[in-house]
């Protein structure tokens, strides 16, 4: 691992990425000079890098997202992310299960989950509509569209990856239900701990809701009004980052849009 001593000052992260509010982290990352002329990711940079790597190299891996990573290796990865050195890491050397474990840990440690506490009960209700798929899709679409924009972008990026994994369930043994079991506790959780009996019931419902999100990914995010909303958000995000960068005086990396 590198010690980051030679890293330009503006590339260093001055606070932890893990456990930091999503809006706070994204505000900071958007204030940094663009690293390429391409549109910047609308999710945290480390998340984008892990998602792209797993999508390209890990969707056929047996037990992906279910198999535990090695704790010491995962702790080292977290330290690299929190110190701004993750970009220097060779992801194939990090290990697929370690990367997936660190991604789940990041989601789990968000102060406000990807699906905010205020919408927890509404998403649980959707799981009760499994025998009415058309109504379930409609209610999911309305709930997802109401998410804060950065939560929406992060949820879409994650679910797109999980859908790709589920499409390879014949080789990786990870169907929508199995993926939901290992993912739901990290993105859909209550603000306060519940009694054991209630917790078991709600855990089952949360798994059902997340499985439905994975199953209906294409209908929710690739077609219809929500897909257009995401395209507009990503375009506006790009323009806003460029504008802020100009204000900060980092003009060398700017390309007119």
């Amino acid at each position: 691992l590198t010690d980051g001593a030679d890293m330009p000052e503006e590339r260093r992260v001055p606070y932890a990425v893990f456990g930091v509010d999503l809006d706070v982290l994204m505000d900071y990352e958007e204030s940094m000079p663009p690293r390429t002329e391409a549109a910047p990711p609308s999710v945290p940079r480390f998340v984008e890098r892990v998602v792209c790597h797993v999508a390209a190299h890990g969707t056929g891996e047996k037990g992906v997202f279910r198999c535990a990573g090695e704790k010491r290796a995962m702790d080292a990865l977290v330290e690299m992310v929190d110190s701004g050195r993750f970009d220097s890491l060779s992801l194939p050397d990090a290990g697929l299960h370690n990367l997936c474990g660190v991604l789940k840990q990041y989601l789990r440690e968000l102060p406000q989950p990807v699906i905010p506490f205020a919408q927890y009960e509404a998403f649980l209700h959707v799981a009760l509509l499994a025998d009415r798929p058309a109504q379930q899709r409609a209610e999911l679409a309305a709930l997802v569209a109401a998410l804060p924009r950065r939560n929406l972008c992060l949820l879409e990026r994650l679910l797109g990856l999980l859908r790709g994994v589920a499409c390879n369930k014949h080789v990786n043994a990870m169907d929508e239900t199995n993926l939901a079991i290992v993912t739901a506790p990290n993105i859909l959780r209550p603000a306060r701990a519940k009694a054991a009996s209630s917790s078991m019931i709600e855990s089952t419902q949360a798994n059902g809701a997340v499985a439905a999100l994975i199953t209906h990914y294409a209908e929710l995010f690739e077609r219809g009004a929500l897909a257009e909303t995401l395209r507009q958000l990503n375009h506006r995000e790009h323009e806003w980052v460029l504008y802020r960068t100009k204000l900060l005086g980092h003009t060398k990396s700017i390309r007119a849009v």
Side-chain angles (χ1 to χ4, degrees):
L1 300 183
T2 62
D3 63 8
D6 297 328
M7 186 176 299
E9 187 64 32
E10 70 272 11
R11 295 290 293 277
R12 296 178 183 170
V13 179
Y15 51 79
V17 171
F18 283 72
V20 173
D21 180 83
L22 180 61
D23 283 329
V24 172
L25 177 59
M26 291 303 298
D27 282 345
Y28 172 73
E29 291 197 349
E30 288 171 9
S31 74
M32 298 168 67
R35 298 180 182 181
T36 69
E37 291 188 336
S42 52
V43 299
R45 289 170 171 172
F46 120 83
V47 171
E48 180 71 9
R49 193 165 180 230
V50 171
V51 166
C52 288
H53 177 79
V54 176
H57 304 288
T59 57
E61 181 78 13
K62 189 168 184 178
V64 61
F65 279 106
R66 183 188 67 223
C67 294
E70 198 274 317
K71 186 178 186 308
R72 184 179 300 175
M74 288 173 57
D75 287 345
L77 288 172
V78 170
E79 195 277 330
M80 289 191 77
V81 173
D82 277 347
S83 61
R85 295 180 290 125
F86 189 71
D87 283 353
S88 66
L89 176 70
S90 170
L91 295 194
D93 295 337
L96 181 70
H97 297 308
N98 294 331
L99 290 171
C100 290
V102 166
L103 178 58
K104 288 190 294 182
Q105 180 178 338
Y106 168 76
L107 297 169
R108 184 169 60 252
E109 292 183 3
L110 282 171
Q112 185 77 220
V114 179
I115 298 175
F117 294 129
Q119 283 143 297
Y120 173 75
E121 299 287 348
F123 272 87
L124 290 191
H125 172 74
V126 170
L128 305 178
L129 305 174
D131 59 341
R132 288 168 276 174
Q135 183 181 352
Q136 186 179 62
R137 282 196 303 272
E139 293 204 15
L140 277 176
L143 289 171
V144 169
L147 291 174
R149 88 184 148 88
R150 284 165 171 162
N151 297 64
L152 172 62
C153 292
L154 181 53
L155 182 65
E156 186 277 331
R157 205 72 184 91
L158 175 65
L159 291 175
L161 173 61
L162 296 179
R163 184 62 197 155
V165 172
C167 287
N168 287 280
K169 56 191 171 188
H170 57 291
V171 293
N172 61 31
M174 293 301 290
D175 61 12
E176 292 84 350
T177 298
N178 288 337
L179 287 168
I181 289 171
V182 297
T183 305
N186 305 308
I187 66 172
L188 181 59
R189 62 182 192 267
R192 297 178 180 82
K194 304 288 186 77
S197 57
S198 298
S199 178
M200 289 184 63
I201 294 172
E202 291 188 5
S203 176
T204 300
Q205 291 177 320
N207 294 344
V210 173
L213 284 167
I214 299 170
T215 299
H216 300 307
Y217 171 82
E219 294 94 330
L220 291 172
F221 294 101
E222 294 181 347
R223 296 191 283 273
L226 189 55
E228 179 59 28
T229 296
L230 276 167
R231 282 192 290 271
Q232 292 175 1
L233 278 176
N234 287 331
H235 178 69
R236 288 200 298 269
E237 196 86 0
H238 187 202
E239 290 185 329
W240 174 236
V241 170
L242 292 176
Y243 174 69
R244 285 183 58 165
T245 304
K246 288 178 180 178
L247 289 180
L248 289 168
H250 305 298
T251 56
K252 293 182 180 179
S253 300
I254 300 301
R255 182 180 66 175
V257 293

PDB file of all heavy atoms in Angstrom, residues 152-167:
ATOM      1  N   LEU A 152     -31.302   8.384  -5.114  1.00  0.00           N
ATOM      2  CA  LEU A 152     -31.839   7.760  -6.322  1.00  0.00           C
ATOM      3  C   LEU A 152     -30.711   7.283  -7.227  1.00  0.00           C
ATOM      4  O   LEU A 152     -30.724   6.146  -7.709  1.00  0.00           O
ATOM      5  CB  LEU A 152     -32.727   8.768  -7.057  1.00  0.00           C
ATOM      6  CG  LEU A 152     -33.230   8.362  -8.446  1.00  0.00           C
ATOM      7  CD1 LEU A 152     -34.094   7.113  -8.366  1.00  0.00           C
ATOM      8  CD2 LEU A 152     -34.005   9.508  -9.089  1.00  0.00           C
ATOM      9  N   CYS A 153     -29.719   8.132  -7.460  1.00  0.00           N
ATOM     10  CA  CYS A 153     -28.611   7.751  -8.334  1.00  0.00           C
ATOM     11  C   CYS A 153     -27.820   6.581  -7.760  1.00  0.00           C
ATOM     12  O   CYS A 153     -27.425   5.662  -8.494  1.00  0.00           O
ATOM     13  CB  CYS A 153     -27.691   8.950  -8.560  1.00  0.00           C
ATOM     14  SG  CYS A 153     -28.428  10.275  -9.541  1.00  0.00           S
ATOM     15  N   LEU A 154     -27.586   6.604  -6.457  1.00  0.00           N
ATOM     16  CA  LEU A 154     -26.832   5.520  -5.832  1.00  0.00           C
ATOM     17  C   LEU A 154     -27.625   4.219  -5.861  1.00  0.00           C
ATOM     18  O   LEU A 154     -27.077   3.145  -6.143  1.00  0.00           O
ATOM     19  CB  LEU A 154     -26.476   5.898  -4.384  1.00  0.00           C
ATOM     20  CG  LEU A 154     -25.655   4.881  -3.583  1.00  0.00           C
ATOM     21  CD1 LEU A 154     -24.392   4.470  -4.327  1.00  0.00           C
ATOM     22  CD2 LEU A 154     -25.310   5.445  -2.205  1.00  0.00           C
ATOM     23  N   LEU A 155     -28.930   4.292  -5.591  1.00  0.00           N
ATOM     24  CA  LEU A 155     -29.766   3.088  -5.637  1.00  0.00           C
ATOM     25  C   LEU A 155     -29.781   2.511  -7.045  1.00  0.00           C
ATOM     26  O   LEU A 155     -29.671   1.287  -7.223  1.00  0.00           O
ATOM     27  CB  LEU A 155     -31.182   3.425  -5.174  1.00  0.00           C
ATOM     28  CG  LEU A 155     -32.148   2.229  -5.138  1.00  0.00           C
ATOM     29  CD1 LEU A 155     -31.720   1.204  -4.095  1.00  0.00           C
ATOM     30  CD2 LEU A 155     -33.580   2.700  -4.852  1.00  0.00           C
ATOM     31  N   GLU A 156     -29.911   3.370  -8.041  1.00  0.00           N
ATOM     32  CA  GLU A 156     -29.947   2.880  -9.422  1.00  0.00           C
ATOM     33  C   GLU A 156     -28.645   2.171  -9.782  1.00  0.00           C
ATOM     34  O   GLU A 156     -28.640   1.116 -10.418  1.00  0.00           O
ATOM     35  CB  GLU A 156     -30.186   4.058 -10.371  1.00  0.00           C
ATOM     36  CG  GLU A 156     -30.377   3.642 -11.837  1.00  0.00           C
ATOM     37  CD  GLU A 156     -29.071   3.432 -12.583  1.00  0.00           C
ATOM     38  OE1 GLU A 156     -28.067   4.082 -12.234  1.00  0.00           O
ATOM     39  OE2 GLU A 156     -29.054   2.579 -13.510  1.00  0.00           O
ATOM     40  N   ARG A 157     -27.521   2.760  -9.374  1.00  0.00           N
ATOM     41  CA  ARG A 157     -26.218   2.159  -9.709  1.00  0.00           C
ATOM     42  C   ARG A 157     -26.073   0.798  -9.053  1.00  0.00           C
ATOM     43  O   ARG A 157     -25.566  -0.157  -9.655  1.00  0.00           O
ATOM     44  CB  ARG A 157     -25.106   3.099  -9.234  1.00  0.00           C
ATOM     45  CG  ARG A 157     -23.810   2.951  -9.978  1.00  0.00           C
ATOM     46  CD  ARG A 157     -23.896   3.515 -11.391  1.00  0.00           C
ATOM     47  NE  ARG A 157     -22.659   3.278 -12.120  1.00  0.00           N
ATOM     48  CZ  ARG A 157     -22.414   2.203 -12.867  1.00  0.00           C
ATOM     49  NH1 ARG A 157     -23.314   1.261 -12.981  1.00  0.00           N
ATOM     50  NH2 ARG A 157     -21.268   2.065 -13.511  1.00  0.00           N
ATOM     51  N   LEU A 158     -26.483   0.696  -7.802  1.00  0.00           N
ATOM     52  CA  LEU A 158     -26.383  -0.568  -7.078  1.00  0.00           C
ATOM     53  C   LEU A 158     -27.312  -1.622  -7.672  1.00  0.00           C
ATOM     54  O   LEU A 158     -26.906  -2.768  -7.912  1.00  0.00           O
ATOM     55  CB  LEU A 158     -26.715  -0.341  -5.597  1.00  0.00           C
ATOM     56  CG  LEU A 158     -26.766  -1.592  -4.726  1.00  0.00           C
ATOM     57  CD1 LEU A 158     -25.387  -2.238  -4.632  1.00  0.00           C
ATOM     58  CD2 LEU A 158     -27.292  -1.251  -3.337  1.00  0.00           C
ATOM     59  N   LEU A 159     -28.560  -1.250  -7.918  1.00  0.00           N
ATOM     60  CA  LEU A 159     -29.524  -2.217  -8.438  1.00  0.00           C
ATOM     61  C   LEU A 159     -29.164  -2.677  -9.843  1.00  0.00           C
ATOM     62  O   LEU A 159     -29.415  -3.827 -10.208  1.00  0.00           O
ATOM     63  CB  LEU A 159     -30.928  -1.616  -8.428  1.00  0.00           C
ATOM     64  CG  LEU A 159     -31.545  -1.380  -7.047  1.00  0.00           C
ATOM     65  CD1 LEU A 159     -32.886  -0.666  -7.181  1.00  0.00           C
ATOM     66  CD2 LEU A 159     -31.717  -2.687  -6.276  1.00  0.00           C
ATOM     67  N   GLY A 160     -28.576  -1.783 -10.637  1.00  0.00           N
ATOM     68  CA  GLY A 160     -28.135  -2.199 -11.957  1.00  0.00           C
ATOM     69  C   GLY A 160     -27.091  -3.297 -11.872  1.00  0.00           C
ATOM     70  O   GLY A 160     -27.112  -4.266 -12.650  1.00  0.00           O
ATOM     71  N   LEU A 161     -26.168  -3.167 -10.927  1.00  0.00           N
ATOM     72  CA  LEU A 161     -25.168  -4.207 -10.713  1.00  0.00           C
ATOM     73  C   LEU A 161     -25.819  -5.505 -10.238  1.00  0.00           C
ATOM     74  O   LEU A 161     -25.526  -6.595 -10.748  1.00  0.00           O
ATOM     75  CB  LEU A 161     -24.134  -3.732  -9.694  1.00  0.00           C
ATOM     76  CG  LEU A 161     -23.108  -4.776  -9.236  1.00  0.00           C
ATOM     77  CD1 LEU A 161     -22.286  -5.286 -10.405  1.00  0.00           C
ATOM     78  CD2 LEU A 161     -22.208  -4.191  -8.150  1.00  0.00           C
ATOM     79  N   LEU A 162     -26.715  -5.400  -9.267  1.00  0.00           N
ATOM     80  CA  LEU A 162     -27.367  -6.594  -8.727  1.00  0.00           C
ATOM     81  C   LEU A 162     -28.213  -7.299  -9.785  1.00  0.00           C
ATOM     82  O   LEU A 162     -28.306  -8.529  -9.806  1.00  0.00           O
ATOM     83  CB  LEU A 162     -28.222  -6.227  -7.513  1.00  0.00           C
ATOM     84  CG  LEU A 162     -27.451  -5.679  -6.304  1.00  0.00           C
ATOM     85  CD1 LEU A 162     -28.413  -5.323  -5.178  1.00  0.00           C
ATOM     86  CD2 LEU A 162     -26.399  -6.671  -5.825  1.00  0.00           C
ATOM     87  N   ARG A 163     -28.830  -6.521 -10.670  1.00  0.00           N
ATOM     88  CA  ARG A 163     -29.605  -7.127 -11.747  1.00  0.00           C
ATOM     89  C   ARG A 163     -28.682  -7.915 -12.670  1.00  0.00           C
ATOM     90  O   ARG A 163     -29.016  -9.018 -13.116  1.00  0.00           O
ATOM     91  CB  ARG A 163     -30.350  -6.044 -12.540  1.00  0.00           C
ATOM     92  CG  ARG A 163     -31.269  -6.601 -13.620  1.00  0.00           C
ATOM     93  CD  ARG A 163     -32.363  -7.459 -13.001  1.00  0.00           C
ATOM     94  NE  ARG A 163     -32.997  -8.312 -13.988  1.00  0.00           N
ATOM     95  CZ  ARG A 163     -33.598  -9.455 -13.686  1.00  0.00           C
ATOM     96  NH1 ARG A 163     -33.638  -9.886 -12.428  1.00  0.00           N
ATOM     97  NH2 ARG A 163     -34.168 -10.175 -14.622  1.00  0.00           N
ATOM     98  N   GLY A 164     -27.503  -7.358 -12.957  1.00  0.00           N
ATOM     99  CA  GLY A 164     -26.537  -8.076 -13.772  1.00  0.00           C
ATOM    100  C   GLY A 164     -26.079  -9.373 -13.122  1.00  0.00           C
ATOM    101  O   GLY A 164     -25.899 -10.399 -13.794  1.00  0.00           O
ATOM    102  N   VAL A 165     -25.912  -9.346 -11.797  1.00  0.00           N
ATOM    103  CA  VAL A 165     -25.557 -10.563 -11.067  1.00  0.00           C
ATOM    104  C   VAL A 165     -26.691 -11.577 -11.151  1.00  0.00           C
ATOM    105  O   VAL A 165     -26.464 -12.770 -11.426  1.00  0.00           O
ATOM    106  CB  VAL A 165     -25.234 -10.235  -9.598  1.00  0.00           C
ATOM    107  CG1 VAL A 165     -25.061 -11.517  -8.785  1.00  0.00           C
ATOM    108  CG2 VAL A 165     -23.973  -9.376  -9.501  1.00  0.00           C
ATOM    109  N   ALA A 166     -27.925 -11.123 -10.933  1.00  0.00           N
ATOM    110  CA  ALA A 166     -29.071 -12.030 -10.959  1.00  0.00           C
ATOM    111  C   ALA A 166     -29.257 -12.675 -12.328  1.00  0.00           C
ATOM    112  O   ALA A 166     -29.720 -13.821 -12.427  1.00  0.00           O
ATOM    113  CB  ALA A 166     -30.341 -11.280 -10.553  1.00  0.00           C
ATOM    114  N   CYS A 167     -28.907 -11.961 -13.384  1.00  0.00           N
ATOM    115  CA  CYS A 167     -29.029 -12.522 -14.734  1.00  0.00           C
ATOM    116  C   CYS A 167     -28.064 -13.679 -14.952  1.00  0.00           C
ATOM    117  O   CYS A 167     -28.212 -14.439 -15.913  1.00  0.00           O
ATOM    118  CB  CYS A 167     -28.802 -11.428 -15.778  1.00  0.00           C
ATOM    119  SG  CYS A 167     -30.176 -10.264 -15.926  1.00  0.00           S
TER     120      CYS A 167
END
